[in-house]
Amino acid sequence: MNEDTEREKRQVAAWRAAERKLSGSLREPTMAELLAPLAEAPYDMDQPADVYGDGIVDVLERRVAELLGTEDAAFFPTGTMAQQVALRCWAGHTGNPVVALHPMSHPERWEGDALSTVSGLRVAHPTTEARQPTAAEVSGLAEPFGTLMLELPLRDAGFLLPTWEELEALVDAARERDAVVHFDGARLWESTVHFGRPLTEIAALADSVYVSLYKSLGGLSGAALAGPRDFVEETRVWRHRYGGQIFRQFPQALAALAGLERELPCLPSYVAQARRVAAALGPALTAAGIPWFRINPEEPHTHQFQVWLPYGADHLTEAGLRTAEETGRVLFRRWSPTPAPGVSMTEVEVTTPGLSWTASDVISAVSEFTARL
């Protein structure tokens, strides 16, 4: 067993045993623990199982469309497939294969160049800075583009969102360039607090919206692509061509419905608590004598944010692991290197387990962590 595998086993064991944490890890639950809540999903379990997207999957699609205020929605096994299909279909509608998006967005960072390799599309970048683009940058793109894709929030930049006024201006700028607008809304569910608008009003700005059914909702996997009925019907054809027409999908659909029932109403409280945690982290790190740190953004836009510290990633990850093992409290989990030499970053997420944390809890947790650096 290599060192990384051994550390991961230690991490999962420590995280599962911890009495205090800000959120659960996706790696913590056992298969039995993941399956148990499905029997409690808001659906008649005596109904027949789905076959190629009917039954429970159809119920889920209608529920997502209702929540987003769109005419229709289609279930996809992955968000990567959903967005590939959406952007490919819009290219067919507009006659332009160029997609304007941020270079830190998911298709650019995490999909193996699938936009070009699989879908034959090209990309243009309104900005390369670690922030959302501006309307002026979209208006000023040197070449025509058929689709503007906005990742809301932009995860790799710190789960950043534009203001509502900035988002409206971005959409207007795309329309003035005769482009359609697609929202990568994997985490759109928790963006309502920052925008001060309901989901229906946010989704109404775009021509199509992708949402994840597991990232913030605690589902098993899967995504939904929402928009006009004719467009969604077209994406179902392409879903089959991409290999996404799966025989049975009821576990994913049940878990998604349960997440919409259980987690969606809680997300505003998670955002509020994340802001309290972030506000306490700064003074706590200063009091602990940390020479430099960054909380990004200073006031989180969602219930997730970044923390940057001037130490190596392995050193910080090991300190967090020892803290969990020795104190039963989890503050930070895995750390990653940043482009800045000697500086590492971790993502902090606040969900139900973290709602009871006070500023004093944060201060104590920081003290325990930094004592092991």
Side-chain angles (χ1 to χ4, degrees), residues 10-92:
R10 286 176 58 203
Q11 286 173 327
V12 173
W15 297 341
R16 282 181 58 84
E19 296 179 358
R20 299 298 305 278
K21 46 192 162 186
L22 291 171
S23 67
S25 162
L26 293 177
R27 292 190 176 273
E28 288 179 43
T30 64
M31 288 187 287
E33 289 167 342
L34 289 171
L35 289 173
L38 299 189
E40 302 171 7
Y43 187 74
D44 183 359
M45 300 296 284
D46 291 326
Q47 292 294 315
D50 64 294
V51 176
Y52 291 123
D54 63 4
I56 184 67
V57 177
D58 182 61
V59 171
L60 172 62
E61 290 175 338
R62 284 187 275 114
R63 179 62 176 145
V64 171
E66 176 188 21
L67 287 167
L68 296 177
T70 59
E71 291 182 350
D72 201 359
F75 178 82
F76 278 76
T78 71
T80 296
M81 183 187 293
Q83 298 214 112
Q84 295 292 322
V85 167
L87 296 174
R88 182 170 190 149
C89 288
W90 283 129

